[in-house]
Amino acid sequence: MRKLWLSLVGAACLLLLSGCSDTLSLPDPTSLIRPPRLPADKEMLKSAIVRQLPTGATQVRARDAKDTTTVHYADLDGDGRRETAVVFYKPADSDGNLHMMILQEQGENWVKVLDIAGEGPVLDKLEFADITGDGFVDILAGYGVNGEDPASVSSNILMVYSYIDNHTLEALQSKLPYANFELVDMDGDNRKELAMINMKPDIGTDIRLYEYKDKAFQELSSLVLPNKTVTGYYNVTSGKVFENQNGLVLDILMGTSVYTQIVVMKNGVLEPVLSEDSTFKDGMVKSEDVNGDGIIEVGTLTTVPEGWSYFENKEDIPSLTMYRQWDGAKGLTPVREQYRDPNGRFVLQPFPKELLGNVTLSTVSMVDKYLKFVRIDNREWIEEVRFFTPAQWQNEASGKDWIKLYSTSSQVIAYRVNPDGEMREKKTGIPSS
């Protein structure tokens, strides 16, 4: 039997938020989650779950956008021979805490081996990872305890569970308040640390990094970003931010303004690398890897495309999003441009790197009516977006290479690319909706 205990160094309120790493020697959480081998297995498990759920209970999924399933498969006991399914559900009393149910495949049946009460009414985030470094997968469950707003305050509780081979779970810690949490190798030792971030009223953003060692989470470093006007975080991620350098990337809300900060670890100390004014933007653009090189880029808005400077009404100017990479020092290097619908209805593929700095919109474009993207150097058209009525879509778009991006009962938004240009489908694919 394994017996693992978590004791956090220091008492006080530990405020957390984190990221995910990509170049680690420990198994990636996704590699520890195994789908059923056959459709029959899935149906058998589905039936077992339905039988075991209390009357009126409903399965729930995490509100974390990366998690889209209600059933999670993992080898919790490390024997490599049987599958374990983890399911969270809400009892009929919707005001009560969630429950976590664990089932194991035993012969031809799925058998419930554990059912415990959680620490909140919402499943905010769920990770499966060997955070203790003992070779066994642990469960990191984040419970929302303060309604549906996960970003702005300490509205969540993190619990870390270790599975014991006699069908019990042992909590490796007490309840830990957080705004978000992630796992990331910040110090380059090929082992994941637990990065925790939160807001401290009238102080700023508190970041703490922990490593599990000697049966306890020990603090490696801490950092306070002293901006007192922060009101929340609309996106937090982590991973490679420069060549051979992992870091945390925080997209931060300050009232109606937003900016991004990158935090790395140097010589055992957490430190921010960007000035706030270098990443200020008017809209909530998420930091992400847009060019597929494994490095997270920071998105900022290009408010005035080339040729639009004489337009007085800002609402009439379509905006391009510029993504930049940290240069390893104090600056950001442009790597891609992209068009993102300001109303969130669609996102076009990033323009190829050979068009960097060479894309604008023709001034015949009109927001919410027609957008024509052209090269700056020779004005050749690259792609276009048109807003159709349903009747126009049926009568005018058929057979003319238009691809639907978004539709409602009163509108169809579609795009097409120059078949001889850089954005032709075989080269860059189609936009994501």
Side-chain angles (χ1 to χ4, degrees):
M1 175 188 297
R2 291 187 298 131
K3 186 175 181 181
L4 304 176
W5 295 96
L6 169 79
S7 77
L8 285 171
V9 177
C13 192
L14 198 50
L15 306 170
L16 321 173
L17 196 151
S18 78
C20 33
S21 175
D22 57 347
T23 52
L24 307 172
S25 65
L26 292 177
D28 184 84
T30 57
S31 70
L32 303 171
I33 302 174
R34 299 179 294 162
R37 295 183 297 274
L38 298 169
D41 292 343
K42 186 174 182 179
E43 288 303 315
M44 186 183 302
L45 175 58
K46 180 179 178 181
S47 298
I49 292 172
V50 171
R51 289 196 305 270
Q52 298 292 349
L53 285 176
T55 302
T58 55
Q59 297 177 58
V60 299
R61 59 173 52 88
R63 63 183 170 191
D64 179 24
K66 294 178 292 185
D67 193 336
T68 61
T69 183
T70 60
V71 182
H72 305 265
Y73 300 85
D75 179 18
L76 296 180
D77 59 8
D79 65 4
R81 296 190 303 272
R82 63 187 181 190
E83 293 187 79
T84 302
V86 180
V87 178
F88 287 80
Y89 68 88
K90 182 183 289 291
D93 178 6
S94 61
D95 294 330
N97 288 345
L98 299 179
H99 277 236
M100 176 169 57
M101 180 169 63
I102 294 180
L103 302 94
Q104 287 188 336
E105 189 179 28
Q106 297 179 5
E108 297 297 322
N109 300 309
W110 284 91
V111 178
K112 182 174 72 171
V113 296
L114 192 62
D115 190 316
I116 66 171
E119 298 296 338
V122 176
L123 182 60
D124 175 65
K125 192 170 184 178
L126 183 64
E127 295 277 1
F128 295 86
D130 178 17
I131 188 64
T132 60
D134 64 354
F136 294 88
V137 179
D138 304 301
I139 302 173
L140 291 86
Y143 298 98
V145 297
N146 219 6
E148 293 295 328
D149 180 13
S152 60
V153 294
S154 303
S155 56
N156 309 310
I157 291 293
L158 172 64
M159 296 294 294
V160 179
Y161 301 103
S162 180
Y163 186 73
I164 307 303
D165 58 9
N166 64 350
H167 299 161
T168 62
L169 279 183
E170 184 166 24
L172 301 185
Q173 60 177 55
S174 57
K175 303 175 185 179
L176 298 173
Y178 74 93
N180 203 338
F181 74 89
E182 294 286 348
L183 301 171
V184 56
D185 177 18
M186 293 288 285
D187 58 9
D189 66 351
N190 293 323
R191 180 177 172 181
K192 295 178 182 179
E193 292 86 43
L194 180 62
M196 310 168 87
I197 306 167
N198 214 323
M199 287 187 301
K200 287 189 172 181
D202 301 321
I203 296 178
T205 298
D206 181 78
I207 304 174
R208 296 176 186 270
L209 191 68
Y210 290 87
E211 179 183 65
Y212 191 84
K213 187 177 181 180
D214 298 329
K215 297 186 178 182
F217 276 97
Q218 301 183 10
E219 184 177 312
L220 297 178
S221 183
S222 63
L223 170 69
V224 174
L225 302 176
N227 192 319
K228 300 179 182 180
T229 61
V230 171
T231 54
Y233 316 97
Y234 66 89
N235 178 56
V236 175
T237 187
S238 67
K240 187 182 292 186
V241 295
F242 187 62
E243 298 177 4
N244 302 316
Q245 175 72 67
N246 287 339
L248 295 167
V249 184
L250 285 71
D251 294 324
I252 301 172
L253 291 165
M254 293 194 311
T256 59
S257 299
V258 297
Y259 79 101
T260 297
Q261 183 56 270
I262 295 175
V263 176
V264 300
M265 195 173 201
K266 293 184 177 179
N267 300 317
V269 178
L270 292 176
E271 61 178 61
V273 300
L274 300 176
S275 61
E276 290 183 7
D277 57 2
S278 68
T279 58
F280 269 114
K281 47 203 139 185
D282 295 329
M284 292 191 294
V285 181
K286 291 175 61 176
S287 298
E288 57 186 325
D289 177 16
V290 297
N291 60 356
D293 65 352
I295 298 175
I296 299 169
E297 286 85 36
V298 175
T300 55
L301 294 179
T302 304
T303 55
V304 184
E306 192 272 347
W308 290 77
S309 58
Y310 63 89
F311 281 73
E312 295 183 359
N313 189 352
K314 184 177 179 181
E315 286 71 27
D316 292 336
I317 303 176
S319 296
L320 292 175
T321 297
M322 177 69 77
Y323 284 90
R324 297 174 170 88
Q325 281 184 3
W326 179 48
D327 63 7
K330 292 293 183 180
L332 293 166
T333 302
V335 294
R336 284 289 194 279
E337 284 181 289
Q338 182 183 52
Y339 182 80
R340 306 176 67 90
D341 177 55
N343 294 311
R345 294 167 293 188
F346 64 92
V347 177
L348 296 180
Q349 286 280 63
F351 297 106
K353 61 181 179 181
E354 55 264 29
L355 288 178
L356 183 63
N358 194 24
V359 176
T360 189
L361 290 102
S362 168
T363 52
V364 303
S365 301
M366 297 182 67
V367 173
D368 279 344
K369 291 186 177 180
Y370 176 72
L371 303 171
K372 185 176 184 179
F373 300 87
V374 300
R375 294 177 61 117
I376 293 174
D377 55 1
N378 59 17
R379 313 309 290 185
E380 177 182 320
W381 78 283
I382 301 167
E383 63 182 336
E384 56 184 344
V385 177
R386 183 174 169 184
F387 297 70
F388 296 88
T389 66
Q392 289 173 330
W393 175 252
Q394 292 295 328
N395 298 328
E396 301 178 28
S398 178
K400 296 184 179 180
D401 299 323
W402 290 101
I403 299 175
K404 187 186 298 185
L405 291 169
Y406 175 88
S407 65
T408 65
S409 60
S410 60
Q411 185 181 63
V412 176
I413 304 174
Y415 85 106
R416 65 181 177 184
V417 302
N418 184 339
D420 299 318
E422 291 84 356
M423 292 294 290
R424 63 184 182 271
E425 184 175 346
K426 290 183 179 179
K427 193 167 187 177
T428 59
I430 65 173
S432 57
S433 59

